[in-house]
Amino acid sequence: MSEVILATQGLQKSFGALKATDDVSIDLRPGEIHAIIGPNGAGKSTLIAQICGALASDTGRVELLDRDVTALNTEQRARAGLGRTFQISALAMEDSVEDNVRLGAIGAMGSPWNVFRPVSRSADVVARANDALERVGLTGARETRCADLSHGQRRQLEVAVALTLEPKAFVMDEPMAGLGADGSKTMTGFLDGLRDEAPILLVEHDMDAVFALADRISVLVYGKIIATGTVSDIRASDAVRTAYLGENA
Amino acid sequence: MIREGVINWAILLGLVALPLWAVFADEIFTITLTTRVVILALAAVGLNIALGIGGMVSFGHAAFFGLGGYAMGILAYHAQTYAALDFGIVEIEGTKSMPVIWLVATAISALAAWLIGLLSLRTTGVYFIMITLAFGQMFYYFAISWGAYGGEDGLSIYVRNGFPGLNTLVPIQFFGLCFVALCVALILQWRLRGSSFGLTLNAARQTPERVETVGLNPMKLKLLAFVISGAITGLAGALFADLNRFVSPAMFSWQLSGELIILIIIGGVGRLMGPVIGAMIFVALEHWLGGLTDFWHVYLGAILLFIVLFSRGGVIGFLTGKEGPHV
Ligand SMILES: Nc1ncnc2c1ncn2[C@@H]1O[C@H](COP(=O)(O)OP(=O)(O)O)[C@@H](O)[C@H]1O
Ligand SMILES: [Mg+2]
């Protein structure tokens, strides 16, 4: 396996005069959780959108498995192996939990064109979807309409849909947001195990979770990476203390 | 509250029972009216796939209805005058065979839907409504100026087209043909909704960014839905032309596009039988109120307003107590 699964080089995105991301170069290695932390408005979601192809970058490159994917759009990057979760759940709210994960499974298999055969008869789609539900603990809510789920369940479902893709790299935008203490703990345990399947680029606000999970942390402030290192490096860094952690202390 | 399946079967049963009764009571006009219901319902089933499942509010579906109608009109006209259609390089005989006409009508409508969809689906919301309306109007004005086929006056066909083994001039037999076509379209919509395609299309309406994130292209999904939708509405157009033995630019009019949307809203957007019950109510109003006053559209508007305000799921939603089709 290659040394680096996912990498960005000099990514930049401006909204008018505002540089939301500015010369961001990070990488994600096999088996690791690389956390991106930073204050609100630092550009974390923008960076994720650039990595996943939802936002076109002004300059810079994105590489996945040594392949330049900068010119690819979102669907092509997903097919190349990116598994994204959204900060604000982007689920089909009118549909059941099951339909939402089946959507992921159909996408992963590239098989949306059958207009006549019931999905429930596609054994591989069903199996893949059920498997993902079971792993995040949503099997019991399979037939629940997505709009009727609790906030925490929606966060779990976000992750379940990404699981159906069996991606080469996960890119997660605040999966713990609004989960509460217990929910955060469960999700932390889950992500901890997930890194063995595919490395995770994890944007997260929950510092306990980040310090518990991350192999490396990058600190993003005003669109720039001001430090990258291990948990202890980052905790010890003066620059990070003043620029970011200091705000919380 | 009644289960949707029960309501659906009751509607279908009523739709067959009425003309059968009319045969025995010798009420020929009732058969014609019911046939009109069936054909409008078929056109709306087509639109419902685009609008109800795919979320594409097409205000130009009359384009496909009209294309289907003119496909019938032109083929039958050439059969009637024994003059081949001259395409410069090839000449094609006209025909009075319904299966052939239906095939041509659906194929041409599908092709037009593909082209219109390709150009329109880059836009969403109000822009999509406007651009589909514009395409519909384009066909309307073209038909008006197309003197070879009657222009503004339209084109009369003197003999109803034939179907192997049937006497299509017998109203109940022609009704039967239209009813079978409607049932086939309903089965298609029902199966489509439960298929991988229906699932992904339905998601593309609600959350296109998610669909992209799982590696699918929402535009391509919507385009196929639009093509299927246009083809079904085109078939309805061909049947409508045969029912009236007359085609005119009115088949392309924006009023017709609007009426198709209205009868779906009345019946229930995205509901399997929404277009059917919508068409029943629409034709009933058109017939009863249209006989009393020229301003029957005012009452139609009032009903529409009532439904939009008090039952977002239309008549089906009201009867089942469920607002959406997927609850
Ligand atoms: N589409 C956009 N148009 C204009 N400004 C934007 C847009 N998206 C984000 N921004 C701005 O870019 C900055 C970074 O936003 P974001 O990436 O969402 O930050 P974070 O996720 O770190 O909280 C913010 O100042 C935000 O207001
Ligand atoms: Mg954010």
Side-chain angles (χ1 to χ4, degrees):
Chain A
M1 193 175 266
S2 99
E3 260 314 288
V4 171
I5 302 288
L6 174 69
T8 72
Q9 284 147 23
L11 275 193
Q12 183 171 318
K13 179 77 196 175
S14 300
F15 297 112
L18 173 81
K19 275 188 182 171
T21 56
D22 187 0
D23 195 21
V24 175
S25 301
I26 50 169
D27 62 26
L28 185 64
R29 299 169 194 164
E32 78 167 345
I33 292 183
H34 186 162
I36 312 277
I37 61 173
N40 261 324
K44 305 183 294 295
S45 294
T46 303
L47 176 62
I48 287 200
Q50 288 174 275
I51 291 173
C52 296
L55 264 182
S57 302
D58 300 337
T59 56
R61 279 157 67 87
V62 179
E63 280 176 16
L64 182 63
L65 297 169
D66 293 326
R67 172 180 171 205
D68 185 352
V69 296
T70 316
L72 303 189
N73 62 24
T74 304
E75 323 131 47
Q76 293 164 326
R77 290 188 204 189
R79 271 181 267 139
L82 277 185
R84 176 187 187 183
T85 73
F86 291 86
Q87 179 175 3
I88 297 165
S89 299
L91 300 161
M93 287 296 170
E94 292 173 15
D95 295 343
S96 66
V97 166
E98 187 168 60
D99 281 353
N100 273 276
V101 274
R102 284 179 177 180
L103 171 66
I106 291 167
M109 306 191 160
S111 58
W113 299 115
N114 195 315
V115 300
F116 209 68
R117 195 167 76 133
V119 188
S120 51
R121 280 194 218 153
S122 306
D124 35 6
V125 168
V126 171
R128 198 182 264 246
N130 288 349
D131 189 46
L133 282 184
E134 189 168 337
R135 292 186 59 194
V136 301
L138 275 179
T139 303
R142 186 156 57 194
E143 280 165 19
T144 308
R145 205 167 78 120
C146 204
D148 298 331
L149 291 179
S150 71
H151 175 79
Q153 288 173 312
R154 285 184 201 169
R155 304 308 301 166
Q156 288 171 291
L157 183 52
E158 271 288 328
V159 174
V161 179
L163 288 179
T164 61
L165 303 179
E166 295 178 5
K168 301 283 189 280
F170 287 99
V171 182
M172 299 191 174
D173 200 352
E174 304 206 19
M176 329 264 183
L179 273 191
D182 284 349
S184 274
K185 207 175 252 171
T186 315
M187 184 68 84
T188 304
F190 182 74
L191 296 184
D192 198 11
L194 191 59
R195 77 180 100 194
D196 297 329
E197 280 168 48
I200 306 172
L201 189 68
L202 177 70
V203 164
E204 191 45 65
H205 245 117
D206 181 336
M207 281 305 146
D208 292 337
V210 167
F211 287 145
L213 283 173
D215 298 294
R216 286 188 297 154
I217 298 176
S218 289
V219 183
L220 191 66
V221 177
Y222 293 124
K224 280 186 187 295
I225 300 282
I226 60 164
T228 296
T230 62
V231 172
S232 47
D233 292 342
I234 295 299
R235 284 186 131 149
S237 157
D238 287 338
V240 175
R241 276 177 180 281
T242 45
Y244 177 48
L245 293 180
E247 292 183 357
N248 288 358
Chain B
M1 296 292 110
I2 317 166
R3 290 208 3 240
E4 189 159 342
V6 175
I7 296 171
N8 290 350
W9 282 110
I11 292 170
L12 271 189
L13 225 64
L15 204 54
V16 184
L18 188 63
L20 285 181
W21 164 82
V23 170
F24 292 108
D26 213 20
E27 295 266 0
I28 300 300
F29 188 61
T30 305
I31 304 177
T32 305
L33 268 189
T34 321
T35 309
R36 189 176 162 82
V37 169
V38 168
I39 294 172
L40 282 179
L42 178 64
V45 167
L47 178 58
N48 203 22
I49 290 174
L51 183 126
I53 308 179
M56 292 167 272
V57 186
S58 165
F59 204 167
H61 254 52
F64 312 122
F65 196 69
L67 279 173
Y70 271 79
M72 176 288 197
I74 291 171
L75 286 172
Y77 172 78
H78 283 278
Q80 174 168 289
T81 56
Y82 300 102
L85 264 143
D86 192 350
F87 284 105
I89 347 163
V90 279
E91 290 199 342
I92 294 178
E93 297 289 321
T95 177
K96 290 192 160 292
S97 156
M98 282 192 191
V100 175
I101 288 171
W102 294 353
L103 209 68
V104 173
T106 44
I108 287 179
S109 307
L111 181 69
W114 181 73
L115 282 170
I116 293 177
L118 212 56
L119 295 166
S120 312
L121 281 169
R122 295 173 196 290
T123 64
T124 52
V126 168
Y127 298 100
F128 183 80
I129 297 176
M130 299 309 282
I131 194 166
T132 48
L133 171 65
F135 276 114
Q137 289 303 92
M138 219 173 76
F139 280 99
Y140 175 72
Y141 286 112
F142 180 76
I144 280 190
S145 63
W146 205 10
Y149 297 108
E152 215 169 340
D153 299 331
L155 191 59
S156 285
I157 304 301
Y158 300 111
V159 180
R160 185 165 282 163
N161 298 302
F163 191 91
L166 291 179
N167 181 355
T168 53
L169 280 170
V170 176
I172 192 70
Q173 295 201 17
F174 183 61
F175 167 84
L177 266 182
C178 297
F179 185 74
V180 168
L182 174 64
C183 288
V184 169
L186 286 170
I187 291 171
L188 178 67
Q189 189 198 330
W190 172 60
R191 292 294 292 254
L192 184 148
R193 181 59 190 84
S195 70
S196 331
F197 178 70
L199 192 154
T200 48
L201 175 67
N202 192 45
R205 165 174 59 85
Q206 299 170 62
T207 170
E209 60 275 60
R210 162 67 66 199
V211 173
E212 286 176 357
T213 306
V214 301
L216 300 173
N217 184 331
M219 265 254 309
K220 284 188 191 158
L221 294 166
K222 287 185 170 186
L223 186 59
L224 175 61
F226 200 70
V227 168
I228 295 173
S229 169
I232 293 175
T233 302
L235 174 62
L239 291 171
F240 194 75
D242 239 323
L243 174 68
N244 301 321
R245 279 178 256 163
F246 175 67
V247 291
S248 79
M251 287 185 78
F252 284 114
S253 68
W254 67 264
Q255 285 92 335
L256 197 125
S257 298
E259 283 167 4
L260 291 180
I261 296 176
I262 288 172
L263 64 84
I264 287 179
I265 294 175
I266 290 177
V269 176
R271 309 305 268 262
L272 182 60
M273 285 292 171
V276 182
I277 191 115
M280 286 169 142
I281 293 173
F282 182 85
V283 171
L285 285 177
E286 181 185 50
H287 178 62
W288 298 117
L289 290 176
L292 300 176
T293 160
D294 281 344
F295 302 106
W296 72 276
H297 277 100
V298 173
Y299 296 93
L300 181 69
I303 289 184
L304 187 65
L305 200 65
F306 183 82
I307 281 179
V308 170
L309 289 177
F310 296 107
S311 172
R312 289 196 48 209
V315 172
I316 303 276
F318 180 76
L319 292 175
T320 56
K322 289 179 183 172
E323 216 172 64
H326 326 295
V327 193

